[in-house]
Amino acid sequence: MNILVTGAKGMVGKALCANLKNIRDGKNRTRASLKIDEVFEYDIDSTELQLEEYCKKADFVFNLAGVNRPKDNSEFMQGNFGFGEKLLGTLKKNGSKAPVMLSSSIQATLIGRYGESDYGKSKLAGEELFFRYGEENGVKVAVYRFPNLMGHSRPNYNSAVSTFCNAVANDLPFTVNDRSSQVELLYIDDLVEGMFDLLEGKEKRCDYDGLIPVENKNGKYCFVPLTYTVTLGEIVDLLQSFKAQPETLVMPPIPDGSFAKKLYSLYLSYLPADRFKFPLKMNCDDRGSFTELLKTSDHGQFSVNISKPGITKGQHWHNSKWEFFIVVSGRALIEERNIFTDEKISFEVSGEKIEAIHMIPGWTHNIINLSDTENLVTLMWANEQFDPNRPDTFFEPV
């Protein structure tokens, strides 16, 4: 299958092309039914001859080209309708029956109902053009009315989320006029997966009830069902918590599939290179060092412990706290003793066979570096963050 992507240098175009190539090159094997041979990338700096050639060879067309922030409003119709005419005319001239996808906007839904805008009018005109093309030429047409998109795009342009991400990541000023203002967002990776569904013939179809897509397998429009409705205040508060993470070490909750998880990924894409790295506080003494690596609000914390040759560390127990000790380099003896029954157990472990050992509540424990020459490196996880006011840690030799 040969695929033509117009608007290939825009935010959606770059993401879609990169991921289509992953499938083409066998790097993404999650879509086994898709066989992609070529990805033709067309943008404003491409030539007429290239468009002609691509339209001859394309088996599927994603039309992402469009105008959203022109110098003059007349450019809306030229970019969002005029290019569509040119593209469809070239496909028709070459006898193409390639299915065509059109990137439209929820703004087209507003026309005649909730307001008027030159942008919305141009998108609606483009939709009607593509629907007519499909009916007259027996070609499958998939029109998507996208809400606000969330991906790495130019800040201070047409995405408030990108503007906020860039400002917070780079210590730049920004303004939130109304923290309670809500916005519906479609994340770029979810959009791309929706386009893969379309290529596989598994797209979701819908009709519109006002601004709301209502799923209907025979619907006129297509849509990506996974979107997030959040307030501007929620967005900037999350971004500030992401920014604080290198200092607090606390990773805010980012459950799988959540808006926060996707926003964090987007935020990181705006970090300047000199912030890719940040220091951690090493607590050093003559026995070695102990360094907190990462804390979470509900799943404890991770640390790394380095013990010098022959050193014993630990010798304490906890009421409720429990831990994993995972030796990743060196050789160690881990001992545990039940403080109530004096039952004792020991484990010899090494970085050559990585194992996780439970430190059980009510069992005093230690870890001994068995080497006379090498440091012992142990990754430690505790089920709660360390609280110096309530450490739940009591000295007791094993």
Side-chain angles (χ1 to χ4, degrees):
M1 179 189 295
N2 296 325
I3 296 176
L4 167 57
V5 179
T6 72
K9 292 184 178 179
M11 177 191 66
V12 178
K14 286 191 289 187
L16 180 58
C17 288
N19 283 282
L20 287 170
K21 291 173 186 176
N22 281 342
I23 293 177
R24 179 196 67 186
D25 299 339
K27 299 174 183 177
N28 179 353
R29 300 180 183 179
T30 64
R31 302 280 180 159
S33 66
L34 293 181
K35 307 299 179 185
I36 297 174
D37 299 307
E38 294 290 344
V39 179
F40 303 129
E41 300 177 52
Y42 180 90
D43 210 278
I44 194 168
D45 57 352
S46 302
T47 67
E48 299 284 337
L49 288 176
Q50 286 176 311
L51 182 61
E52 186 82 23
E53 178 187 359
Y54 298 160
C55 286
K56 286 179 182 177
K57 296 179 179 179
D59 301 301
F60 198 102
V61 179
F62 289 100
N63 183 38
L64 308 177
V67 174
N68 49 34
R69 290 290 292 272
K71 294 179 180 178
D72 186 272
N73 282 356
S74 63
E75 296 177 36
F76 279 129
M77 194 62 73
Q78 177 183 345
N80 296 328
F81 178 83
F83 177 74
E85 278 191 316
K86 180 179 179 180
L87 171 66
L88 298 179
T90 307
L91 288 168
K92 184 177 180 180
K93 182 179 70 172
N94 286 283
S96 175
K97 295 296 181 180
V100 182
M101 172 270 179
L102 172 65
S103 171
S104 187
S105 167
I106 197 65
Q107 292 295 319
T109 317
L110 301 174
I111 303 303
R113 296 188 183 190
Y114 306 97
E116 301 284 333
S117 73
D118 290 327
Y119 177 68
K121 289 177 181 177
S122 69
K123 285 296 188 181
L124 183 60
E127 291 179 2
E128 294 168 348
L129 173 69
F130 274 70
F131 283 133
R132 284 197 305 272
Y133 171 80
E135 292 171 0
E136 293 172 0
N137 296 280
V139 170
K140 178 178 177 178
V141 169
V143 174
Y144 286 78
R145 286 178 166 176
F146 291 133
N148 295 287
L149 301 181
M150 181 175 124
H152 190 95
S153 61
R154 189 192 334 171
N156 304 305
Y157 185 60
N158 66 339
S159 169
V161 178
S162 291
T163 299
F164 294 155
C165 285
N166 182 67
V168 173
N170 292 277
D171 297 326
L172 300 174
F174 64 93
T175 301
V176 181
N177 294 322
D178 182 0
R179 285 179 53 88
S180 65
S181 179
Q182 288 190 326
V183 58
E184 182 186 10
L185 294 165
L186 171 60
Y187 183 55
I188 186 64
D189 287 3
D190 297 324
L191 188 159
V192 168
E193 290 299 319
M195 298 304 97
F196 289 169
D197 287 342
L198 175 61
L199 285 173
E200 291 181 332
K202 300 175 182 177
E203 71 276 10
K204 298 289 186 181
R205 288 197 167 264
C206 70
D207 293 311
Y208 277 87
D209 180 9
L211 295 176
I212 307 299
V214 179
E215 187 168 353
N216 176 359
K217 65 180 182 180
N218 298 314
K220 183 177 183 180
Y221 294 91
C222 299
F223 77 117
V224 178
L226 183 55
T227 63
Y228 301 88
T229 299
V230 294
T231 66
L232 298 183
E234 289 171 332
I235 294 171
V236 296
D237 288 348
L238 279 170
L239 291 174
Q240 295 292 3
S241 72
F242 302 158
K243 181 178 182 178
Q245 192 277 328
E247 294 183 8
T248 66
L249 299 183
V250 176
M251 183 65 64
I254 49 172
D256 191 36
S258 67
F259 172 76
K261 182 178 181 181
K262 295 171 184 180
L263 182 65
Y264 208 150
S265 295
L266 181 59
Y267 163 77
L268 290 174
S269 73
Y270 286 91
L271 276 184
D274 61 2
R275 291 190 177 176
F276 285 14
K277 179 178 73 171
F278 60 92
L280 296 170
K281 181 184 177 184
M282 295 181 67
N283 300 287
C284 301
D285 59 25
D286 57 3
R287 301 174 303 158
S289 66
F290 177 81
T291 306
E292 294 178 322
L293 302 178
L294 179 67
K295 302 177 182 181
T296 70
S297 58
D298 54 356
H299 288 94
Q301 72 174 54
F302 296 86
S303 308
V304 64
N305 186 75
I306 299 177
S307 302
K308 292 181 179 180
I311 290 295
T312 298
K313 285 191 175 184
Q315 306 284 51
H316 60 240
W317 63 277
H318 314 290
N319 278 308
S320 297
K321 183 188 297 184
W322 60 278
E323 302 161 297
F324 284 127
F325 284 8
I326 305 170
V327 169
V328 296
S329 180
R331 190 165 59 92
L333 179 67
I334 295 175
E335 299 178 314
E336 300 186 60
R337 178 175 60 83
N338 188 309
I339 64 167
F340 301 107
T341 68
D342 279 336
E343 179 184 356
K344 188 174 179 181
I345 193 168
S346 62
F347 306 92
E348 188 168 331
V349 292
S350 79
E352 295 181 359
K353 182 183 179 183
I354 296 178
E355 301 171 289
I357 312 297
H358 280 99
M359 301 300 112
I360 307 297
W363 290 63
T364 188
H365 50 270
N366 63 25
I367 183 167
I368 304 167
N369 186 348
L370 296 177
S371 173
D372 295 327
T373 58
E374 296 180 356
N375 284 344
L376 173 70
V377 181
T378 307
L379 180 65
M380 297 177 172
W381 175 85
N383 70 319
E384 60 186 43
Q385 291 185 36
F386 178 73
D387 181 353
N389 296 315
R390 299 188 64 184
D392 188 13
T393 300
F394 309 100
F395 176 76
E396 178 77 23
V398 176

